[in-house]
Amino acid sequence: MFGYRVPAPDEAMLISGGRRGLGGAPFRVVTGHGKFVLPFFRKTRFLTLAMCEAEVTETCVTRQGIALNVRAVIAFKVGNDTESIINAGQRFLSDQDQMSVLTGRIFAGHLRAIIGSMTVEEIVTERQKLAAEVLDTSKTEMAKIGLIVDSLQIQSIDDGDAGYIDAMSAPHRAAIQRQAQIAQAQATQTAAEAQQEAARKQAEYARQTAVVQAEYSAQVDRAQAEAAQAGPLAQAHAQQEVLAAQTELAQRQAELRQQQLVAEIVKPAEAEAERIKLLAKAEADRMKIQAEAAASYDRVALDRMLIDQLPQIVKEAAGGLAGANVNVLNGADGLGEIAAGLVSQGLTILDSVRQNLGGQDSDGRNGGGNGVLELRAKEDRRPGDGPVNVD
């Protein structure tokens, strides 16, 4: 639309003519939106709000009196507030390139002042501290002209041909070189150890491969030998089995023959011997029974004979008393006592004979038989043949 003006996003539109601006400024500031401007009665100008850059290359003398060539880069811009835009517009609106020149000069002065209070070691090792101090000292002065600094970077510090920085860095370079040499030696040693380890592994792998190949070859040879010997071994095994079967058959035949011999000869012989033994035992038992029966019969016969001969024995004893001079004191009673004594003597003789016969039988002699024969012989004697002597 005719007379309607809109500033760019990184610009501030300054409208002069008509009413004054904020704080008695000779123009009004418009940012971020458009404004209707009467033609011929109002005049519009634009101030950049974009980022600008200023480079500073300055020779500064340190507190030690050593000259240093310092190169720094400053990033700055016009402030976004109305006051900063008015301050910058009144100073740089006609020639906006002067902002970089003036900013460089301002920072060059502050850089010389701050470096003059520091040593080379502090400057080299504490560049961030140097930049922060320069920013702090220039902030107020930059605000007066409507500019703000976003960053300050110290790009290089050089002492020219003085060699101070090189001398200062020599121990560090030596230490770094020494560390580098040590690191290189360690790397070389590590590489050598790695090569040795690789060679050892290769040798070990080759040895294992050779061992495996040898084992495979041995297995193949063994399998071939076993295959070659399989036929003879099978034949020998078969022959061994045949011999074992024949041996077992012979053993069974021998055992069968032995059983036959036992059944045909030994068993009948044992049976015959047992029969003879039983017959002999039976005969012995029969003879013993007969002998016991005969002995028992002889004792019975002897007892009968003794009983039968007892009157004769008493008679003979009485006959022995016939010629004796016997005085009978008590008459008939005394004579009875004599007779009773004779009978008692006869019974005693009978018991003695019986005991003698029993003792001979217990000693195993055939005393009973001899006694019977002797008694029978004595029994055959007639009563008038004389007295009977009994031993």
Side-chain angles (χ1 to χ4, degrees):
M1 180 182 292
F2 183 76
Y4 191 80
R5 307 296 297 272
V6 179
D10 58 348
E11 290 180 339
M13 185 172 62
L14 306 181
I15 304 174
S16 59
R19 292 186 304 124
R20 289 184 174 272
L22 182 63
F27 49 80
R28 287 181 294 170
V29 178
V30 178
T31 57
H33 60 85
K35 191 73 173 177
F36 184 77
V37 180
L38 291 175
F40 306 108
F41 297 99
R42 304 288 186 267
K43 187 175 182 180
T44 58
R45 300 285 297 273
F46 294 93
L47 179 66
T48 180
L49 302 178
M51 179 68 65
C52 299
E53 179 181 307
E55 183 174 344
V56 177
T57 303
E58 191 70 22
T59 301
C60 306
V61 179
T62 65
R63 188 175 63 186
Q64 300 162 320
I66 299 173
L68 298 178
N69 297 321
V70 180
R71 181 173 178 271
V73 176
I74 303 100
F76 68 95
K77 65 181 292 296
V78 177
N80 294 327
D81 58 292
T82 304
E83 184 178 358
S84 297
I85 295 173
I86 291 173
N87 291 334
Q90 289 178 343
R91 292 172 175 81
F92 306 110
L93 186 60
S94 59
D95 189 2
Q96 298 185 25
D97 293 335
Q98 289 296 319
M99 287 189 294
S100 298
V101 176
L102 182 59
T103 300
R105 291 175 180 176
I106 292 173
F107 272 89
H110 290 291
L111 193 62
R112 285 194 302 270
I114 293 173
I115 288 177
S117 63
M118 299 176 65
T119 63
V120 178
E121 288 79 7
E122 292 175 348
I123 295 170
V124 172
T125 58
E126 299 179 2
R127 291 189 181 186
Q128 193 64 30
K129 179 181 177 181
L130 172 63
E133 290 183 2
V134 172
L135 285 175
D136 289 339
T137 56
S138 62
K139 184 180 298 183
T140 303
E141 190 173 353
M142 293 290 289
K144 290 180 180 180
I145 59 177
L147 302 177
I148 58 175
V149 179
D150 289 338
S151 67
L152 170 64
Q153 297 293 329
I154 306 297
Q155 291 187 340
S156 64
I157 298 175
D158 184 15
D159 61 352
D161 297 333
Y164 186 89
I165 296 177
D166 292 339
M168 183 179 65
S169 63
H172 300 286
R173 286 200 306 268
I176 292 174
Q177 291 177 357
R178 183 171 60 254
Q179 292 177 358
Q181 292 175 356
I182 293 173
Q184 183 63 34
Q186 291 177 350
T188 304
Q189 182 179 359
T190 303
E193 291 177 354
Q195 292 178 356
Q196 293 177 358
E197 182 67 17
R200 188 185 65 79
K201 289 182 178 180
Q202 290 179 355
E204 181 66 19
Y205 178 75
R207 185 187 67 80
Q208 292 179 357
T209 303
V211 170
V212 172
Q213 290 178 352
E215 290 179 354
Y216 287 162
S217 300
Q219 291 178 0
V220 172
D221 295 340
R222 184 165 55 253
Q224 292 177 354
E226 290 177 355
Q229 295 176 358
L233 287 175
Q235 185 177 1
H237 185 67
Q239 291 178 357
Q240 185 177 2
E241 290 181 352
V242 170
L243 291 176
Q246 292 177 353
T247 303
E248 185 178 359
L249 179 61
Q251 290 178 355
R252 290 183 179 179
Q253 291 177 353
E255 291 176 356
L256 182 60
R257 180 58 182 166
Q258 183 179 3
Q259 293 175 0
Q260 291 178 354
L261 292 175
V262 170
E264 294 175 357
I265 299 174
V266 177
K267 292 296 182 181
E270 290 178 353
E272 183 64 20
E274 186 67 21
R275 187 182 67 80
I276 294 172
K277 182 178 179 181
L278 293 175
L279 290 175
K281 183 178 181 182
E283 183 65 20
D285 292 341
R286 185 182 64 79
M287 293 179 66
K288 181 179 180 182
I289 293 171
Q290 290 177 356
E292 290 178 354
S296 177
Y297 176 76
D298 289 343
R299 284 194 296 272
V300 173
L302 178 60
D303 291 339
R304 288 188 61 189
M305 181 188 72
L306 290 176
I307 293 171
D308 292 340
Q309 294 295 327
L310 182 61
Q312 185 66 30
I313 294 171
V314 174
K315 182 180 178 181
E316 292 294 336
L321 295 174
N325 188 11
V326 178
N327 296 320
V328 178
L329 299 178
N330 54 354
D333 293 334
L335 186 57
E337 291 178 356
I338 292 172
L342 292 173
V343 173
S344 176
Q345 291 179 0
L347 294 174
T348 301
I349 293 170
L350 179 60
D351 291 336
S352 177
V353 172
R354 286 177 177 175
Q355 290 176 1
N356 291 331
L357 291 175
Q360 291 175 358
D361 292 339
S362 62
D363 293 336
R365 295 179 300 212
N366 195 6
N370 295 332
V372 172
L373 294 176
E374 184 177 357
L375 290 174
R376 285 181 179 176
K378 293 179 179 180
E379 186 181 4
D380 291 340
R381 293 173 59 86
R382 291 187 297 275
D385 292 339
V388 179
N389 297 323
V390 179
D391 295 333

